[in-house]
Amino acid sequence: MSRLIVISNRVAAPKPEGEGGAQGGLAVALSAALREYRGLWFGWSGNKADTFTGHIDFQRHDGVTSATIDLEEQDVEEYYNGYANRTLWPLFHYRIDLAEYDRSFAGGYERVNQRFAETVQPLIEPDDLIWVHDYHLIPLGRQLRDRGVRNRMGFFLHIPWPPSRLLVSLPFHEGLVLSLLAYDVIGFQTEEWLESFTNYVERELGGHCEPDGTIRVGGRSVHAAAYPIGIDYKEFSEAVASPGAATAFERLKKSADGRRTIIGVDRLDYSKGLEERFLGYRRFLEEHDECLGKLFLLQIAPPSRGEVHTYEAIRESLDELSGRINGEFAEVDWVPIRYVNQGYGREDLAGFYRAAEIALITPLRDGMNLVAKEYVAAQDPEDPGVLILSRFAGAALQLKDALLVNPYSKEDISDAIAKALDMPKEERIRRWQAMNACVRDEDVVWWRRSFVEALAG
Ligand code: ADQ
């Protein structure tokens, strides 16, 4: 069996239980996928160095070998905080109003991709399969090819691919997309993002896309397909059954004191639709005064990307909005929103999900959304909760039995909460069974196998 070299911006070892922290979906999914595979995971250590040396730090943790490099301050500013998180992230989440185009960001992005290519290349053996992840490293495949790497190479995009009409607002968009064609396999979370990509290839590059996923542009032929990412169902089920989860479950149930719990768990990011969610919940409180004092929203949202100013702004506006709603509706013995800015370990989260009768997961745009899948996996089969899910999350294409809502509509969110609270048990069970079968069968192992099979050719 060939080795697998996974390359992503950050390499994150799973955190020990209790340490919490806002470990993103990519980290959670990849550590699960690599645990049983021979190979290594290469990326940025998260540390800064005065000057870039190319020194690689090898570590072995929980069955995964990682190889990391430090980056210079300027690299981090231009490549990570700049091009990745201030240009591509907003644009790819349909927020051209927030996307910043700065030549220095684009230059830093190219430079860091070159640095990745230079340092990882000597580690690559002829039979290795190379699997590059996410929007930080789109040009890496091209950089490696330019250095003579002939291995099979795949790229997986964890976030949405934007419609062509938005993507063309990016200066030098054509070069970025052409660099993707250096890979042999290009994976997206859903058919919808794949469609936007093939549309771009046909409209802007004059390419041709065949029904079997073959994309031809000039002399180059690559395979593009949807590979929806899943959770590590087995690991998560173990977390659900753990004593830690039972403690967290009890803690939440006890403090709920007979009130029903609606849960939201998200990185604090404008793409997650938290303001719109709070406003939808507020509308529900307004329209259902019979429910005041009988339920609450537990929103867990650890801050992320604090060095990017749009994230400071969203944090401030959520502090203000949650405070305003609580001030408006709270009683001496009840607050409608418990807004918590910290991360929790897997077992705690599993217990909280299970204790909540409803999950309210309403991103404005999301590549997939693993929280929705974790909530489903954590439910009691005899008495499952109800998932309210944004129709604009990639997960909505698989979890069709959730209550799908338009996250921009306060009314839609309010109506869905009312419907979830009243849903008969038989209907909850029927919907949950269908969703759980999908979350269980199309898990992270299935995702990794499907992608790696295509990559192996
Ligand atoms: P994210 O935007 O980070 O991932 P998501 O898929 O929901 O979004 O994954 C978040 C992960 O972090 C989940 O595993 C969740 O449990 C964990 N997490 C969130 N808040 C937490 C908290 N307070 N404490 C502890 N853990 C927390 C990106 C894309 C997604 C895509 C994933 C994977 O934006 O669309 O699903 O990658 O491809």
Side-chain angles (χ1 to χ4, degrees), residues 42 52-56 69 114-123 147:
F42 182 90
F52 179 75
T53 61
H55 170 78
I56 304 173
I69 51 170
Q114 266 168 24
R115 290 185 162 173
F116 265 62
E118 263 164 41
T119 33
V120 77
Q121 188 196 354
L123 306 179
R147 287 176 167 70

Side-chain angles (χ1 to χ4, degrees), residues 20-29 89 93 134 156-160 189 229 231 236 265-267 269 271-272 300-302 305 340-346 349 353 361 365-372 374 394 447:
Q23 177 154 271
L26 171 65
V28 172
W89 176 273
H93 286 86
D134 233 3
F156 184 79
L157 184 68
H158 289 258
I159 65 175
Q189 298 273 26
I229 199 167
I231 61 165
F236 204 74
V265 175
D266 310 76
R267 271 187 312 102
D269 192 298
S271 69
K272 302 292 183 184
I300 300 178
R305 303 178 191 167
V340 182
N341 286 135
Q342 61 166 303
Y344 286 94
R346 316 291 301 152
L349 274 188
Y353 289 138
I361 302 173
R365 218 41 83 165
D366 215 333
M368 175 56 60
N369 195 295
L370 294 176
V371 170
E374 290 166 359
W447 168 75

Side-chain angles (χ1 to χ4, degrees), residues 391-455:
R391 51 179 295 196
F392 303 132
L397 276 84
Q398 288 173 298
L399 305 178
K400 296 191 174 75
D401 286 278
L403 293 182
L404 297 181
V405 294
N406 174 350
Y408 293 94
S409 163
K410 296 193 267 290
E411 288 77 13
D412 233 23
I413 292 177
S414 167
D415 291 352
I417 295 173
K419 185 168 176 187
L421 287 169
D422 284 345
M423 191 179 286
K425 197 184 206 179
E426 304 75 65
E427 183 178 348
R428 281 191 279 122
I429 293 178
R430 181 175 54 71
R431 286 175 183 268
W432 175 81
Q433 282 175 343
M435 291 192 285
N436 187 56
C438 169
V439 173
R440 185 193 57 217
D441 297 343
E442 298 180 358
D443 68 349
V444 76
V445 178
W446 171 85
W447 168 75
R448 183 247 294 163
R449 280 198 189 128
S450 332
F451 192 94
V452 175
E453 254 168 43
L455 182 56

